Amino acid sequence: MIRLATSTFLACCLAACATSSGPTLAEAPIVVPEGKAVVLVYRISALTSAAYRHNVYLDGKLLASLPSGSFTHIPVTPGTYEVSTGNEKNPRMQSVSINVERGETVYVAYSAGRDLSTPASLRLSDSASSQRYLSGDYRFEAPIIQP
């Protein structure tokens, strides 16, 4: 029992190391700029690999390094893009191709694997499912690249 309590405590401490302190989606709603679209990527909150930030790329350029339970978004020109996750040596371990239309927000959900070398899944997500996740305590992580 003590071992379980210690493990749980350590997992929570490690998870706290890789958290975001940005605003929630409710505190900073997305505004799609005129003539643009928005790509929003969120990392599903889970204890698995919670101590690590995971890199997310847009067309091979580092978009953000996301902790568990966070999201980022960036305005883009309408068109086709590749969203991927991985590390510096292999930024395309998992990838999904997306097509964004003017005025649209496209959601991409990411579930982390057990460590930095094994991302579990990256997929397009519909608005309703994404909003259920994002309406909680998910925090914004500013994009590294600029639009």
Side-chain angles (χ1 to χ4, degrees):
M1 185 66 166
I2 292 173
R3 190 177 293 168
L4 176 63
T6 302
S7 297
T8 303
F9 174 75
L10 289 174
C12 290
C13 289
L14 287 173
C17 293
T19 59
S20 180
S21 60
T24 64
L25 190 59
E27 294 167 342
I30 297 170
V31 176
V32 180
E34 183 67 35
K36 298 279 189 173
V38 170
V39 174
L40 184 146
V41 181
Y42 62 98
R43 181 175 162 196
I44 296 173
S45 184
L47 277 179
T48 304
S49 197
Y52 303 106
R53 289 175 170 266
H54 286 248
N55 292 341
V56 177
Y57 300 84
L58 183 66
D59 282 348
K61 296 177 186 161
L62 182 61
L63 172 61
S65 187
L66 296 178
S68 182
S70 67
F71 68 96
T72 192
H73 56 77
I74 189 166
V76 295
T77 302
T80 301
Y81 295 89
E82 179 188 49
V83 176
S84 61
T85 62
N87 55 43
E88 290 178 9
K89 291 183 180 178
N90 185 5
R92 291 182 170 94
M93 292 175 85
Q94 297 279 326
S95 66
V96 63
S97 181
I98 59 172
N99 185 45
V100 293
E101 304 285 333
R102 177 183 290 181
E104 177 181 40
T105 298
V106 173
Y107 298 90
V108 179
Y110 171 56
S111 297
R114 68 182 179 282
D115 58 39
L116 289 174
S117 64
T118 56
S121 72
L122 183 70
R123 62 179 167 73
L124 283 172
S125 182
D126 62 88
S127 179
S129 297
S130 299
Q131 292 299 328
R132 280 193 294 278
Y133 281 107
L134 297 168
S135 66
D137 196 31
Y138 279 62
R139 299 286 174 167
F140 178 70
E141 194 71 28
I144 294 169
I145 61 173
Q146 298 304 311

